[in-house]
Amino acid sequence: MFELGWFSTARGKGSRNLLTAVLDSIQKGELKARISFVFCSREPGESAETDAFFELVKNHKIPLVTFSYQKYKTRVNGNDEIPGSILPQWRLDYDREVINRLKEYNPQLCVLAGYMLIMGPEMCSRYNIINLHPATPWGPKGTWKEVIWELMQQKAAETGAMIHLVTPELDRGPVVSYCRFPIQTDSFKPLWDSIAGRTVNDIKTAEGEDNSLFKAIRHQETIRELPLIVRSIKAISEGRVNIRKGQVTDNCGQTIPGYDLSAEIDHLIQGRE
């Protein structure tokens, strides 16, 4: 059985939805795998949302390992992390303790699902870890909001989502899989026409994320995210995609720039748009 490890900070409903999607696929027999552990960087009592996530994990009888990032940071008087810089020693020590607490498990693949911490070098070398980024491999970097604003700024023809290997450098790991979809179609045309002549800053000031084009792009991306995660895990578990020593290869051992799951994902979401 293909062994999965699951990392989450479990800040809200999205984290529960991600876990539920994979568990449902396993239960239906679509995904021949099992989740050998769930690790959370919070502990019981820190958040009502996180506690709800813990209940989900316990209801499925999955081993749960917790280690509070915030409590540890306070205890060691840790300084704030600076994005893009080398992780401070206390953060590396936190990762080392996480590895120690998970030493009895040997997952073939780990999934970051709403895990809000950057992985240090030791963690990245210990596990094959994947994460979702809300853009194509050649698309914008940043959060999903930053990505959409940049797409609108560029008047981009398409966007998508990708799964990438986690490295200490944020959102820069090798691409494992991706899907893409057009945003210059007939259905999108009236939305693009509605912002003609306006700058992104104007739209942010007047409407923000309530803008119709912004919401339409986000919707098309959102309905693909869960299927992409599930289908990517499936492709890896079946050997169509392989991860070895930080490299992504096909079933013939050839290095690939990511496995295109666009057609598979589009088929899955038919009728959900």
Side-chain angles (χ1 to χ4, degrees):
M1 186 70 70
F2 193 79
E3 299 280 336
L4 291 171
W6 200 268
F7 287 78
S8 183
T9 302
R11 298 192 304 170
K13 186 178 179 181
S15 296
R16 299 196 295 276
N17 289 345
L18 285 169
L19 181 58
T20 298
V22 172
L23 289 171
D24 285 349
S25 183
I26 291 173
Q27 188 172 26
K28 292 174 184 176
E30 299 167 346
L31 183 57
K32 298 186 183 341
R34 76 180 187 98
I35 299 176
S36 57
F37 71 85
V38 169
F39 174 79
C40 185
S41 55
R42 287 177 174 174
E43 294 173 355
E46 287 191 58
S47 161
E49 290 286 358
T50 307
D51 287 347
F53 178 83
F54 292 160
E55 282 302 310
L56 174 64
V57 174
K58 291 174 182 176
N59 288 341
H60 283 84
K61 297 180 172 54
I62 304 170
L64 174 64
V65 181
T66 65
F67 182 36
S68 173
Y69 163 80
Q70 289 296 344
K71 289 180 182 178
Y72 180 81
K73 179 181 178 182
T74 299
R75 187 166 73 248
V76 300
N77 196 28
N79 55 310
D80 290 336
E81 302 163 47
I82 301 172
S85 65
I86 297 174
L87 290 177
Q89 185 59 48
W90 74 268
R91 268 291 283 111
L92 300 177
D93 292 340
Y94 175 88
D95 277 4
R96 191 166 294 116
E97 177 60 23
V98 172
I99 293 171
N100 183 58
R101 294 185 183 208
L102 297 174
K103 62 185 177 183
E104 66 180 279
Y105 305 105
N106 292 290
Q108 292 160 272
L109 181 71
C110 289
V111 181
L112 296 196
Y115 191 68
M116 304 312 295
L117 304 180
I118 297 171
M119 293 287 196
E122 190 171 346
M123 188 77 83
C124 293
S125 63
R126 175 69 179 82
Y127 304 112
N128 286 327
I129 311 171
I130 59 172
N131 191 30
L132 174 74
H133 178 65
T136 57
W138 49 89
K141 302 294 182 184
T143 66
W144 66 265
K145 296 178 183 181
E146 292 168 337
V147 166
I148 294 176
W149 289 124
E150 182 63 25
L151 294 168
M152 292 170 65
Q153 177 73 39
Q154 295 176 358
K155 298 181 175 56
E158 67 172 14
T159 187
M162 71 172 176
I163 302 293
H164 65 89
L165 272 180
V166 174
T167 65
E169 191 176 0
L170 190 61
D171 290 340
R172 297 286 180 177
V175 178
V176 175
S177 58
Y178 63 92
C179 66
R180 56 201 295 186
F181 60 91
I183 54 174
Q184 290 285 357
T185 60
D186 289 344
S187 61
F188 270 96
K189 187 176 186 305
L191 303 178
W192 285 106
D193 290 345
S194 71
I195 66 166
R198 301 170 64 192
T199 68
V200 162
N201 285 335
D202 290 340
I203 298 167
K204 286 182 180 180
T205 301
E207 303 164 67
E209 294 164 26
D210 287 329
N211 176 265
S212 296
L213 177 57
F214 185 100
K215 291 195 295 185
I217 295 173
R218 177 57 178 165
H219 172 69
Q220 290 298 322
E221 178 196 306
T222 300
I223 63 176
R224 287 168 169 82
E225 288 182 352
L226 295 183
L228 178 62
I229 291 171
V230 171
R231 289 292 160 156
S232 296
I233 295 172
K234 182 176 173 63
I236 295 167
S237 69
E238 294 174 347
R240 287 181 282 150
V241 182
N242 296 286
I243 302 168
R244 292 191 179 91
K245 297 181 179 179
Q247 297 295 315
V248 179
T249 63
D250 61 17
N251 57 2
C252 296
Q254 298 297 309
T255 301
I256 57 173
Y259 190 65
D260 189 352
L261 285 164
S262 301
E264 198 168 326
I265 301 303
D266 285 344
H267 177 73
L268 286 171
I269 65 170
Q270 282 179 357
R272 294 172 53 187
E273 301 181 66

